[in-house]
């Protein structure tokens, strides 16, 4: 397992190639135009070929459902990056564990309010994965939550690097 935290270079928009992105929930408001978002349910995603999307975003309203065991296995099997938007439980409820807890139980313990997006990508088997945390910017010791477009840009850059 490796974890990377991204907080710098968020001022610059993603200028890379076109990306095919699945979104479980409502498409995010981003400044980039070269992105193709497809709104899809978790069930539809479960039955979608791995190579159809460069990454998947699961929005806040769907995190509880996304932590069900059926989908945790999907994240491992699909071998593409999954990003969890506004997860107060980081990526923890979305990985395979011996005694899994619900998203709500994990969120209550972790209460991650500094990171806007958490991500995982399984590589080479069910126990090895990479993870990311994309934090809200901090200015004058205050967390700035009103402009998340730069955070999305950082996620798009990581996604492009993984292609």
């Amino acid at each position: 397992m490796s974890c990377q935290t991204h907080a710098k270079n968020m001022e610059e928009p993603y200028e890379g190639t076109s990306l095919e992105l699945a979104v479980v929930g409502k498409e995010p408001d981003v400044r980039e135009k070269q992105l193709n978002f497809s709104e899809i349910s978790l069930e539809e995603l479960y039955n979608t070929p791995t190579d159809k999307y460069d990454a998947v975003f699961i929005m806040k309203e769907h995190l509880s459902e996304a932590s069900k065991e059926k989908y945790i296995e999907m994240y491992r099997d699909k071998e593409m990056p999954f990003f969890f938007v506004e997860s107060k439980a980081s990526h923890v409820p979305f990985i395979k564990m011996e005694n899994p807890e619900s998203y709500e139980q994990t969120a209550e313990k972790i209460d991650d309010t500094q990171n806007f997006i958490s991500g995982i990508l399984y590589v080479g088997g069910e126990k090895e994965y990479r993870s990311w945390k994309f934090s809200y910017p901090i200015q004058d010791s205050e967390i700035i939550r009103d402009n998340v477009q730069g955070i999305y840009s950082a996620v798009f850059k990581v996604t492009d690097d993984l292609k």
Side-chain angles (χ1 to χ4, degrees):
M1 176 189 86
S2 67
C3 183
Q4 299 174 336
T5 301
H6 293 269
K8 52 188 178 282
N9 294 333
M10 288 196 294
E11 302 82 36
E12 297 182 20
Y14 167 69
E15 295 177 350
T17 60
S18 176
L19 297 173
E20 294 293 330
L21 304 167
V23 181
V24 177
K26 187 175 178 292
E27 178 181 323
D29 179 24
V30 298
R31 56 191 173 187
E32 290 81 359
K33 302 294 181 225
Q34 73 275 38
L35 307 171
N36 297 313
F37 285 101
S38 299
E39 292 184 10
I40 188 170
S41 72
L42 281 165
E43 190 61 39
E44 289 170 312
L45 185 61
Y46 188 82
N47 296 307
T48 298
T50 301
D51 59 356
K52 185 165 183 179
Y53 299 109
D54 296 312
V56 176
F57 288 83
I58 300 177
M59 306 311 268
K60 180 180 181 178
E61 304 77 32
H62 300 275
L63 294 174
S64 183
E65 182 185 1
S67 70
K68 293 182 176 165
E69 188 166 342
K70 169 182 180 176
Y71 299 120
I72 291 171
E73 291 181 14
M74 174 182 71
Y75 310 138
R76 184 189 64 220
D77 296 343
K78 292 274 188 202
E79 295 183 355
M80 64 180 160
F82 287 85
F83 296 103
F84 307 95
V85 180
E86 293 186 76
S87 171
K88 287 189 173 212
S90 185
H91 65 277
V92 174
F94 312 107
I95 57 174
K96 188 86 172 148
M97 291 192 283
E98 292 295 319
N99 299 304
E101 293 183 318
S102 71
Y103 169 76
E104 289 78 12
Q105 290 169 312
T106 309
E108 198 171 288
K109 288 180 184 174
I110 295 177
D111 195 26
D112 183 357
T113 57
Q114 183 167 345
N115 296 303
F116 179 61
I117 297 176
S118 302
I120 56 170
L121 169 64
Y122 276 90
V123 288
E126 71 178 66
K127 294 206 185 292
E128 290 185 40
Y129 64 89
R130 294 176 64 184
S131 65
W132 297 268
K133 292 181 180 182
F134 297 87
S135 306
Y136 288 102
I138 297 177
Q139 187 174 359
D140 301 325
S141 301
E142 294 287 321
I143 296 175
I144 309 300
R145 298 181 196 280
D146 56 354
N147 184 358
V148 296
Q149 291 188 335
I151 300 172
Y152 279 109
S153 296
V155 176
F156 302 145
K157 290 171 191 170
V158 166
T159 301
D160 190 46
D161 289 345
L162 292 169
K163 283 180 31 176

